[in-house]
Amino acid sequence: MESKIRAGIFGGSGYAGLDLVEILTGHPRIDLVFATSNTYAGDDVPGTSLKFAPADSVSLKQVDIIFLALPHTASAAMAKKGIDAGVKVVDLSADLRIDTPEAYEQSYHSPHPHPELLPTPYGLPEINREKIAGADVVATPGCYPTTTLLGIYPLLRLNALCAETPIIVDAKSGVTGAGRKPSLTTHFAEVYSNLIPYKTGRSHRHVGEMEQEAHKVSDQIGPIIFCPHLIPVDRGLMSSIYVTLNGTLESEELHDLYAEEYDGEALVDVLPAGEQATLKHAVKTNKCVISITPVLPRYAHITSVTDNLRKGAASQAVQNMNLMFGFDETMGLI
Amino acid sequence: MESKIRAGIFGGSGYAGLDLVEILTGHPRIDLVFATSNTYAGDDVPGTSLKFAPADSVSLKQVDIIFLALPHTASAAMAKKGIDAGVKVVDLSADLRIDTPEAYEQSYHSPHPHPELLPTPYGLPEINREKIAGADVVATPGCYPTTTLLGIYPLLRLNALCAETPIIVDAKSGVTGAGRKPSLTTHFAEVYSNLIPYKTGRSHRHVGEMEQEAHKVSDQIGPIIFCPHLIPVDRGLMSSIYVTLNGTLESEELHDLYAEEYDGEALVDVLPAGEQATLKHAVKTNKCVISITPVLPRYAHITSVTDNLRKGAASQAVQNMNLMFGFDETMGLI
Amino acid sequence: MESKIRAGIFGGSGYAGLDLVEILTGHPRIDLVFATSNTYAGDDVPGTSLKFAPADSVSLKQVDIIFLALPHTASAAMAKKGIDAGVKVVDLSADLRIDTPEAYEQSYHSPHPHPELLPTPYGLPEINREKIAGADVVATPGCYPTTTLLGIYPLLRLNALCAETPIIVDAKSGVTGAGRKPSLTTHFAEVYSNLIPYKTGRSHRHVGEMEQEAHKVSDQIGPIIFCPHLIPVDRGLMSSIYVTLNGTLESEELHDLYAEEYDGEALVDVLPAGEQATLKHAVKTNKCVISITPVLPRYAHITSVTDNLRKGAASQAVQNMNLMFGFDETMGLI
Amino acid sequence: MESKIRAGIFGGSGYAGLDLVEILTGHPRIDLVFATSNTYAGDDVPGTSLKFAPADSVSLKQVDIIFLALPHTASAAMAKKGIDAGVKVVDLSADLRIDTPEAYEQSYHSPHPHPELLPTPYGLPEINREKIAGADVVATPGCYPTTTLLGIYPLLRLNALCAETPIIVDAKSGVTGAGRKPSLTTHFAEVYSNLIPYKTGRSHRHVGEMEQEAHKVSDQIGPIIFCPHLIPVDRGLMSSIYVTLNGTLESEELHDLYAEEYDGEALVDVLPAGEQATLKHAVKTNKCVISITPVLPRYAHITSVTDNLRKGAASQAVQNMNLMFGFDETMGLI
């Protein structure tokens, strides 16, 4: 029996934090030492013998790795502390996902709290496995970038997109994506029977992040038009992606190219041609599931789905941890 | 064309307040003069040319009647002001529903803020029509007492219940019943796919109110056991009532007696024998819909449903107003 | 008091039929004479004193107008009978919406059952008011074409679209859109918590219909890429439309142009700039509600919503009837 | 590594069958050899390399045990064949749950198809463990009897119930409880936003079964009044139970007695006093979760919840199988 790594979670009582607790307690090489929560301090951590601890009551000396499921900006500060203390850090917030302070300020409209941490390896293992493997700190992308980038990655690799036309992403997210803190936005009676577009076009903070990562793979890429919608389900995220090809290949060829590209990826499924990816394909799994429909020779419709709390957050964080410690990448995940 | 009554709503942006706005703006004898909201001050009042006004910016001199959809205790204070200013008052809160300060304190664990207002006529028109007709202030009962009391009223009138056994009420309420103020209780992801009992037994504040009113009709009545549940729908309330008869009549006779008792009531429907009342029978209507199932000679199952925001709140308040001004009781309601 | 028109509904027990019953029974100039249903023959027609009648038990001599909410191909046959009998016909099916037998066969993969009926005036009043006014038979478009065409109509009128790039329509429909006949597709447990794309690209039957009508307004139009999704709500339809402009105007100008175009249309609302159309804006109303978001100078995101059973079916059929009889177009609808 | 038992499922494509597939494929001692489905023959069996097989294409010689998730009466016939062929049988239908042909005929209104199979051990392990252990065929109870009987079992053991008053069970079931075969009852648009009581009182087929089993434990028991409701969720079952005690103990004592009774039961959780069992406590688990609320000295409210497809069907079937083969009772279940 191999020794265990000691892990702590900062922000364990949010929805991503709770899924992280569930995954880590079932992981064969992890000993979960603490989960912090200021709001629910003293309550049981589900499925464990722990109680949620106030953030200032735990010590970094107790652990080998910390997971940060903290609000924007609080996360960067704790990442800095973790690095200084010599523990590994998996950040689930957006704080470390942008490569430069300048680009960060453009998306977030305030200076980066710890520019010395940038750039941090971007924790999308299917694209960035090598950089994650050797890292002490990793920025795990959230549900929208993960689902969207995996949905177009083979096209980027093939330089097959038309650089003059936008990539259109009509995205739909379950309500846990809006966090656990109560607000009118997440009130049952406001969401039930409804469908709510928000921050559509290029105003959502994740547009810059998606374009940054896409450009690393291909320069054949137009602007991303991104229109997210809140849907009346608790979990699940769908990116419906509309792409224009540059003519180097035809849309009919895409399915096989996707299947080939993701062959060997345990956590990405490409559905058989003709089958459509639905939310249920991904919910409560750790996978991204993709379907491709050729529309016209130069146009295709791609549907990419994940569980926003799993491959879009907690399970991807664990996937990154596995790489950082040299464990099997899917340990505790399949 | 007859002249109009000027009405104002205090607390117009909650769910009951919004339904009240909708009903009053369609009422032929009402001119809605203002709707207050401190949270949403300045926003449009839906379906009108008004803006929500801060409560302290409106004057009682503008109106002939005020509707109070305010939080507990704030309502009694405003009722007092309204009475002193000579305007009629329809209170939708629970503040004026208990007859004595002593009983109030027992249910609410604090002294009544305005004991001089007690007792106030109890605004359940099908039971209490005469007292409401001449009143300047009326306490409109909420969804649980309305639905439950109408479900057992014919049995009370007939003195047919067994006084030694409890009346069991298993109640189910949509989430708007918990109000519009965001909380973890009403967070979409907490309620979705769930079913949540709360304050079961005799701990809910409305138990005392229901027993008070039931005892006015009959002394043949045991204690009420009341178990409410939050259900994952936005609107609608169901009281599933289990009664024991005292032997003066048999359960098989009940359906016809109910049909007779409510014959002529425009806002109470008794379904044909053998048909079950479902939530959809009542939602978005101003009615209470009742079905009766005989089980054993001395036992019956009664299902009573309302829209918690209509017959359980806003439309019943307007029904009371109609009586107070001598309008046709169902004006603006059917 | 003006005389009434006698109306009959063929297919009154489906979801569109039931909404039609509700609207017609509240219409001041209509006397609903019958509603047929073979499946529910003998059951009460809700809100009326009628019973559903078998289709072969009613006579066209009883009525001045018939509404056809019948399955594909059954509708054309009954339309023919109605025309021959001299009654006016409002068809809610797709049978008469295509102008030529050839185009029909291309979309429906079988010969048109009554080619002599083509072309029939296309019943989208905001676009085609004049032709409907004088017609004896009108083909009412369904929810997807209505919502989508109204969403792009001002752009078509202005010849502002780029003819070389597709119009992308990511559509979302509530389950009543799939009809009332039980199937695994509409089973609660299959749809709940799910989101299901189907017939995406150019394979849905309504693509040809939408392109036909769009081309009548403008020749500046590329192919329509149409990806519908089944969403877990009962009612409501959203078309999320992504358009490329041809440079004759900029996306920032669109909002005002839309507002101007639809100024005076009682059943189309253009939301204020910056506000997004949600499903709740339209559900249980007879309106189409539209929001426009400029994204880049040549790109815009348009959200168009309707209640699929109202403006997407029943209320639009009544709007057409009003025009056919010279009534006020919105009679019984606002 | 221990040898595996070969298992087959008859009726593998219904909702209980699909959960059974999922559980059996994760069971360390089971090799799933086939799953039959006439409706979905040829489709993939999810999570396996099997295809659904027509029932007449499989042989009982392939397996050591069969699970029957078949419709009423088809199940008894196949159970007979299995017994004759010498394979063990776990029946999930109601066919073998009634002890005598006479009682069966009373509940099901037709003669029992195979009276020679009666009585069959009743597969509720927490109550009947010993009889299941040695059995070749076991009748697994469904969701309503399992959830209700576990909710009152400690009271039965203590002979604490009042024999003169009924046990009232207000039950709520998710839609998968109604099966996968499409019908108007399970149509999304009929169930959504609704709450539907059905077969209330003593008319549901499971009343006789529950009384039969309760009487085996205690003669201190009145009639069961059972009112099931269809609720708009996919999974989960709640029995809200209202009991009258006979005075041998007080309701305040119940919680500790329940905790003691179920101490050591891995698949029954008694919540801490003051906490209410909600649907989410049980959904997607293999457990029954119970809360007890004392109301008055002689009255208590008990909430018992299960996942209707797990502890109310598939996982309980596997629990029975574990006992029949002498495996650890919770193998593959926790």
Side-chain angles (χ1 to χ4, degrees):
Chain A
M1 186 174 154
E2 296 175 284
S3 69
K4 290 198 171 185
I5 300 298
R6 298 165 306 156
I9 302 171
F10 284 89
S13 65
Y15 292 123
L18 289 168
D19 265 42
L20 200 47
V21 167
E22 187 184 335
I23 295 169
L24 289 177
T25 52
H27 192 288
R29 296 293 300 278
I30 288 294
D31 184 17
L32 182 63
V33 176
F34 63 75
T36 75
S37 170
N38 292 332
T39 309
Y40 297 93
D43 286 6
D44 290 341
V45 179
T48 75
S49 54
L50 300 171
K51 305 277 181 194
F52 283 115
D56 59 11
S57 74
V58 299
S59 161
L60 294 178
K61 292 180 185 161
Q62 303 172 268
V63 293
D64 304 303
I65 185 169
I66 53 175
F67 291 87
L68 308 182
L70 293 172
H72 183 43
T73 74
S75 220
M78 184 56 72
K80 180 77 173 72
K81 285 189 201 169
I83 292 162
D84 291 348
V87 306
K88 286 186 186 275
V89 176
V90 177
D91 186 17
L92 285 86
S93 87
D95 282 5
L96 306 179
R97 295 179 197 154
I98 303 294
D99 286 346
T100 67
E102 295 72 30
Y104 177 90
E105 193 159 345
Q106 204 166 4
S107 284
Y108 291 88
H109 309 298
S110 63
H112 193 282
H114 288 280
E116 71 275 22
L117 298 179
L118 304 184
T120 300
Y122 191 75
L124 192 37
E126 287 77 8
I127 298 181
N128 223 20
R129 192 163 279 132
E130 292 71 22
K131 290 195 181 146
I132 300 164
D136 288 324
V137 52
V138 168
T140 301
C143 45
Y144 284 132
T146 295
T147 314
T148 303
L149 287 168
L150 291 175
I152 57 171
Y153 180 55
L155 290 167
L156 298 174
R157 289 254 298 171
L158 294 158
N159 284 310
L161 289 174
C162 174
E164 282 79 41
T165 55
I167 298 169
I168 290 167
V169 183
D170 187 287
K172 298 98 173 167
S173 170
V175 182
T176 50
R180 201 178 178 202
K181 197 172 164 191
S183 71
L184 197 61
T185 304
T186 59
H187 192 298
F188 185 88
E190 303 291 320
V191 179
Y192 188 70
S193 297
N194 208 352
L195 189 58
I196 307 169
Y198 65 99
K199 292 188 191 147
T200 72
R202 292 180 54 76
S203 58
H204 194 284
R205 289 171 166 187
H206 291 167
V207 171
E209 176 186 334
M210 291 188 277
E211 290 183 350
Q212 166 188 288
E213 295 304 310
H215 276 292
K216 289 180 188 168
V217 186
S218 175
D219 57 359
Q220 290 288 307
I221 175 171
I224 292 179
I225 293 181
F226 177 66
C227 295
H229 299 73
L230 193 65
I231 57 172
V233 304
D234 53 355
R235 282 167 172 262
L237 191 135
M238 178 180 285
S239 285
S240 304
I241 309 172
Y242 300 89
V243 294
T244 309
L245 304 179
N246 60 15
T248 55
L249 53 83
E250 297 226 328
S251 65
E252 289 287 352
E253 302 173 71
L254 286 185
H255 178 269
D256 290 354
L257 293 167
Y258 268 67
E260 200 173 299
E261 177 69 35
Y262 285 125
D263 185 37
E265 287 293 350
L267 298 175
V268 180
D269 279 355
V270 176
L271 293 183
E275 206 174 313
Q276 297 278 351
T278 70
L279 218 59
K280 282 205 180 177
H281 279 100
V283 167
K284 280 282 184 181
T285 80
N286 299 321
K287 291 188 174 186
C288 178
V289 179
I290 298 172
S291 61
I292 301 106
T293 308
V295 180
L296 288 166
R298 286 188 56 196
Y299 298 97
H301 164 236
I302 299 154
T303 301
S304 177
V305 290
T306 61
D307 186 321
N308 57 303
L309 300 177
R310 297 289 187 88
K311 183 65 180 165
S315 72
Q316 183 149 271
V318 174
Q319 193 179 353
N320 284 325
M321 178 202 75
N322 284 336
L323 287 166
M324 293 161 81
F325 280 100
F327 300 156
D328 184 273
E329 185 179 326
T330 60
M331 186 181 281
L333 298 177
I334 51 174
Chain B
M1 188 175 154
E2 296 175 285
S3 69
K4 291 198 171 185
I5 300 297
R6 299 165 304 155
I9 302 171
F10 284 89
S13 63
Y15 291 123
L18 288 168
D19 265 43
L20 200 46
V21 167
E22 186 184 335
I23 295 169
L24 289 177
T25 53
H27 192 287
R29 295 294 300 278
I30 288 295
D31 184 17
L32 182 63
V33 176
F34 63 74
T36 75
S37 169
N38 292 332
T39 310
Y40 297 92
D43 287 6
D44 289 340
V45 179
T48 75
S49 54
L50 300 171
K51 305 277 182 193
F52 284 115
D56 59 12
S57 74
V58 300
S59 161
L60 294 177
K61 291 181 185 159
Q62 303 171 268
V63 292
D64 304 303
I65 185 169
I66 53 175
F67 292 87
L68 309 181
L70 293 172
H72 182 43
T73 75
S75 221
M78 184 57 71
K80 180 78 173 74
K81 285 190 200 170
I83 293 163
D84 291 349
V87 306
K88 287 188 186 274
V89 176
V90 177
D91 186 18
L92 285 85
S93 86
D95 283 5
L96 305 179
R97 295 179 197 154
I98 304 294
D99 286 346
T100 68
E102 295 71 30
Y104 177 91
E105 193 160 345
Q106 204 165 5
S107 285
Y108 291 87
H109 310 299
S110 63
H112 193 281
H114 288 280
E116 71 274 21
L117 299 179
L118 304 184
T120 299
Y122 191 77
L124 192 38
E126 287 77 8
I127 299 181
N128 222 21
R129 192 163 279 133
E130 292 72 21
K131 291 195 180 146
I132 299 164
D136 288 324
V137 53
V138 168
T140 301
C143 46
Y144 284 132
T146 295
T147 315
T148 304
L149 288 167
L150 290 175
I152 58 172
Y153 179 56
L155 290 167
L156 297 173
R157 290 252 301 169
L158 294 159
N159 284 311
L161 289 174
C162 174
E164 283 79 41
T165 54
I167 298 169
I168 289 167
V169 182
D170 187 287
K172 297 97 172 165
S173 170
V175 182
T176 50
R180 200 176 179 203
K181 196 172 163 191
S183 72
L184 196 61
T185 304
T186 59
H187 192 297
F188 186 88
E190 304 289 321
V191 180
Y192 188 69
S193 297
N194 208 352
L195 189 57
I196 307 169
Y198 65 99
K199 291 189 192 147
T200 72
R202 291 179 55 75
S203 58
H204 194 284
R205 289 170 166 188
H206 291 166
V207 171
E209 177 186 333
M210 291 188 278
E211 289 183 351
Q212 165 188 289
E213 294 304 311
H215 276 291
K216 288 180 188 168
V217 186
S218 174
D219 58 358
Q220 292 288 306
I221 176 171
I224 292 178
I225 293 180
F226 176 67
C227 296
H229 300 73
L230 193 64
I231 56 172
V233 303
D234 53 355
R235 283 168 172 261
L237 191 135
M238 178 180 285
S239 285
S240 305
I241 310 172
Y242 299 89
V243 294
T244 308
L245 305 179
N246 60 15
T248 56
L249 54 82
E250 298 227 328
S251 65
E252 289 287 351
E253 303 173 71
L254 286 185
H255 178 269
D256 289 355
L257 293 168
Y258 268 66
E260 200 173 300
E261 177 68 36
Y262 285 124
D263 185 37
E265 287 293 351
L267 299 175
V268 180
D269 280 355
V270 176
L271 293 183
E275 206 174 313
Q276 297 278 351
T278 70
L279 218 58
K280 281 206 181 177
H281 279 100
V283 167
K284 281 282 185 181
T285 80
N286 298 322
K287 291 189 173 186
C288 178
V289 180
I290 298 172
S291 62
I292 302 104
T293 309
V295 180
L296 289 166
R298 286 189 56 197
Y299 298 97
H301 165 235
I302 299 153
T303 301
S304 178
V305 289
T306 60
D307 186 321
N308 57 304
L309 299 178
R310 298 289 187 88
K311 183 64 179 165
S315 72
Q316 184 150 270
V318 174
Q319 193 179 353
N320 284 325
M321 178 201 75
N322 284 336
L323 287 167
M324 293 161 80
F325 280 100
F327 300 155
D328 183 272
E329 185 179 325
T330 59
M331 184 181 283
L333 299 176
I334 51 174
Chain C
M1 186 174 155
E2 297 174 282
S3 69
K4 292 198 170 185
I5 300 297
R6 299 165 305 155
I9 302 171
F10 285 88
S13 64
Y15 292 122
L18 289 168
D19 264 43
L20 201 46
V21 167
E22 187 184 335
I23 295 169
L24 289 177
T25 53
H27 192 287
R29 296 293 300 277
I30 288 294
D31 183 18
L32 182 63
V33 176
F34 63 75
T36 75
S37 169
N38 292 332
T39 310
Y40 297 93
D43 287 6
D44 289 341
V45 179
T48 75
S49 55
L50 301 171
K51 306 277 182 194
F52 284 115
D56 59 12
S57 74
V58 299
S59 161
L60 295 178
K61 292 179 186 162
Q62 303 171 268
V63 293
D64 304 303
I65 185 169
I66 53 175
F67 292 87
L68 308 182
L70 293 172
H72 183 43
T73 73
S75 221
M78 184 56 71
K80 179 78 172 74
K81 285 190 199 167
I83 292 162
D84 291 348
V87 305
K88 287 187 186 275
V89 176
V90 177
D91 186 17
L92 285 85
S93 87
D95 283 5
L96 305 178
R97 295 180 197 153
I98 303 294
D99 286 346
T100 68
E102 295 72 29
Y104 177 90
E105 193 159 346
Q106 203 165 7
S107 284
Y108 291 88
H109 310 298
S110 63
H112 193 282
H114 287 280
E116 71 275 22
L117 298 179
L118 303 185
T120 300
Y122 192 75
L124 192 38
E126 287 78 8
I127 298 181
N128 222 21
R129 191 164 281 132
E130 292 72 20
K131 292 196 179 146
I132 300 164
D136 288 324
V137 53
V138 168
T140 302
C143 46
Y144 284 132
T146 295
T147 315
T148 303
L149 287 167
L150 290 176
I152 58 171
Y153 180 55
L155 290 167
L156 298 174
R157 290 253 299 169
L158 294 159
N159 284 311
L161 288 174
C162 174
E164 283 78 41
T165 55
I167 297 170
I168 289 167
V169 182
D170 187 287
K172 298 97 173 166
S173 170
V175 182
T176 50
R180 200 176 180 203
K181 196 172 166 192
S183 71
L184 196 61
T185 304
T186 58
H187 191 297
F188 185 89
E190 303 291 321
V191 180
Y192 188 70
S193 296
N194 208 352
L195 188 57
I196 307 169
Y198 65 98
K199 292 190 191 146
T200 71
R202 291 179 55 75
S203 57
H204 194 284
R205 289 170 166 188
H206 291 166
V207 171
E209 176 185 334
M210 290 189 277
E211 290 183 349
Q212 165 189 287
E213 295 304 310
H215 277 290
K216 289 180 188 168
V217 186
S218 174
D219 57 358
Q220 290 289 306
I221 175 171
I224 292 179
I225 294 181
F226 176 66
C227 296
H229 299 73
L230 193 64
I231 57 172
V233 303
D234 53 355
R235 283 168 172 262
L237 190 135
M238 178 180 285
S239 285
S240 305
I241 309 172
Y242 299 90
V243 294
T244 308
L245 305 179
N246 60 14
T248 56
L249 55 82
E250 296 227 329
S251 64
E252 289 287 352
E253 303 172 71
L254 287 185
H255 178 271
D256 289 355
L257 293 167
Y258 268 66
E260 201 173 300
E261 177 69 36
Y262 286 125
D263 185 37
E265 286 294 350
L267 299 176
V268 179
D269 279 355
V270 176
L271 294 183
E275 206 173 312
Q276 298 278 350
T278 70
L279 218 59
K280 282 205 180 177
H281 278 100
V283 168
K284 282 281 186 182
T285 80
N286 298 322
K287 291 188 173 187
C288 178
V289 179
I290 298 172
S291 61
I292 301 106
T293 309
V295 180
L296 289 165
R298 287 188 55 196
Y299 298 98
H301 164 236
I302 299 154
T303 301
S304 177
V305 291
T306 61
D307 186 321
N308 57 303
L309 300 178
R310 297 289 187 88
K311 183 65 180 162
S315 71
Q316 184 150 269
V318 175
Q319 193 179 354
N320 284 325
M321 177 202 75
N322 284 337
L323 287 166
M324 292 161 81
F325 280 100
F327 300 156
D328 183 272
E329 184 179 324
T330 60
M331 186 181 282
L333 298 176
I334 51 174
Chain D
M1 187 174 155
E2 294 175 286
S3 69
K4 290 197 170 185
I5 299 298
R6 299 165 306 156
I9 301 172
F10 284 88
S13 64
Y15 292 123
L18 289 168
D19 265 43
L20 200 47
V21 167
E22 186 184 335
I23 296 169
L24 289 177
T25 52
H27 193 287
R29 295 293 300 279
I30 288 295
D31 184 17
L32 182 64
V33 175
F34 64 73
T36 76
S37 170
N38 292 333
T39 310
Y40 297 93
D43 287 5
D44 289 340
V45 179
T48 75
S49 54
L50 300 171
K51 305 276 182 195
F52 283 115
D56 59 11
S57 73
V58 299
S59 161
L60 295 177
K61 291 181 186 161
Q62 304 170 269
V63 292
D64 304 303
I65 185 168
I66 53 175
F67 292 87
L68 309 181
L70 294 171
H72 183 43
T73 74
S75 221
M78 184 56 71
K80 180 78 171 76
K81 285 189 198 168
I83 292 162
D84 291 349
V87 305
K88 286 187 186 275
V89 176
V90 177
D91 186 17
L92 285 84
S93 87
D95 283 5
L96 306 179
R97 295 180 197 153
I98 303 295
D99 286 345
T100 67
E102 296 72 29
Y104 177 90
E105 193 159 347
Q106 204 165 5
S107 284
Y108 291 88
H109 310 298
S110 63
H112 194 281
H114 288 280
E116 71 275 22
L117 298 179
L118 303 185
T120 299
Y122 191 77
L124 192 37
E126 287 77 9
I127 298 182
N128 223 20
R129 192 163 279 133
E130 292 72 20
K131 291 194 180 148
I132 300 164
D136 288 325
V137 52
V138 168
T140 302
C143 46
Y144 284 132
T146 295
T147 315
T148 304
L149 287 167
L150 290 176
I152 58 172
Y153 180 54
L155 290 167
L156 297 174
R157 290 252 300 168
L158 293 159
N159 283 311
L161 289 173
C162 174
E164 282 79 42
T165 55
I167 297 169
I168 290 168
V169 182
D170 187 288
K172 297 98 173 166
S173 170
V175 182
T176 50
R180 199 176 179 204
K181 195 171 166 192
S183 71
L184 197 61
T185 304
T186 59
H187 192 298
F188 185 88
E190 303 291 321
V191 180
Y192 188 69
S193 297
N194 209 352
L195 189 57
I196 307 169
Y198 65 98
K199 291 190 192 147
T200 72
R202 290 179 56 75
S203 57
H204 194 284
R205 289 171 166 187
H206 291 166
V207 171
E209 176 186 333
M210 290 189 277
E211 289 183 350
Q212 165 188 288
E213 295 304 310
H215 276 291
K216 288 180 188 167
V217 186
S218 174
D219 58 358
Q220 291 288 305
I221 176 172
I224 292 178
I225 294 180
F226 177 66
C227 295
H229 300 73
L230 194 64
I231 57 172
V233 303
D234 53 355
R235 284 168 172 260
L237 191 135
M238 179 180 285
S239 284
S240 305
I241 310 172
Y242 299 89
V243 293
T244 309
L245 305 179
N246 60 15
T248 56
L249 54 83
E250 298 226 328
S251 65
E252 289 286 352
E253 302 173 71
L254 286 185
H255 178 270
D256 290 354
L257 293 167
Y258 268 66
E260 201 173 298
E261 177 69 35
Y262 285 124
D263 185 38
E265 287 293 351
L267 299 175
V268 180
D269 280 355
V270 176
L271 293 183
E275 206 173 313
Q276 298 278 351
T278 69
L279 218 59
K280 281 205 180 176
H281 279 100
V283 168
K284 281 281 186 180
T285 79
N286 298 322
K287 291 188 173 186
C288 179
V289 179
I290 298 172
S291 62
I292 302 106
T293 308
V295 180
L296 289 165
R298 287 189 55 197
Y299 298 97
H301 164 236
I302 300 154
T303 301
S304 177
V305 290
T306 60
D307 186 320
N308 57 303
L309 299 178
R310 297 289 187 88
K311 183 65 179 163
S315 71
Q316 184 150 269
V318 175
Q319 193 179 353
N320 284 325
M321 177 201 75
N322 284 337
L323 287 166
M324 292 162 81
F325 280 99
F327 301 155
D328 184 90
E329 185 179 325
T330 59
M331 185 180 283
L333 299 176
I334 52 174

